[in-house]
């Protein structure tokens, strides 16, 4: 876990542990709360407004006709 937290790639860790593939290494490594928080802090907020969808009248009329 310390190697992963230090930024060492999981494929390198897998090789050091003698695993055949990095997927085997995932069993032993999991992100702790600090790593999850750091990942979330790297995300950029979306520049999308929070407008509610309003269906056009022709779509509503079509749905009512069904």
């Amino acid at each position: 876990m310390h190697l992963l937290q230090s930024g060492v790639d999981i494929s390198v860790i897998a090789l050091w542990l003698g695993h055949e593939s990095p997927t085997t290494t995932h069993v032993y490594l999991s992100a702790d709360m600090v790593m999850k928080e750091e990942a979330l802090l790297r995300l950029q907020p979306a520049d999308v407004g929070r407008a509610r969808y309003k269906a056009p009248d022709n779509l509503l009329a079509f749905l009512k006709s069904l």
Side-chain angles (χ1 to χ4, degrees), residues 7-46:
V8 177
D9 188 65
I10 194 167
S11 59
V12 174
I13 297 171
L15 288 172
W16 285 348
L17 294 175
H19 295 162
E20 185 175 325
S21 77
T23 55
T24 308
T25 311
H26 280 285
V27 176
Y28 304 102
L29 300 175
S30 61
D32 62 0
M33 291 305 290
V34 173
M35 292 177 69
K36 291 177 183 179
E37 183 179 11
E38 288 173 354
L40 288 174
L41 290 175
R42 285 189 222 131
L43 297 176
Q44 298 296 322

Side-chain angles (χ1 to χ4, degrees), residues 37-58:
E37 183 179 11
E38 288 173 354
L40 288 174
L41 290 175
R42 285 189 222 131
L43 297 176
Q44 298 296 322
D47 293 334
V48 178
R50 295 186 181 240
R52 186 173 175 101
Y53 175 74
K54 179 164 177 13
D57 291 334
N58 60 348

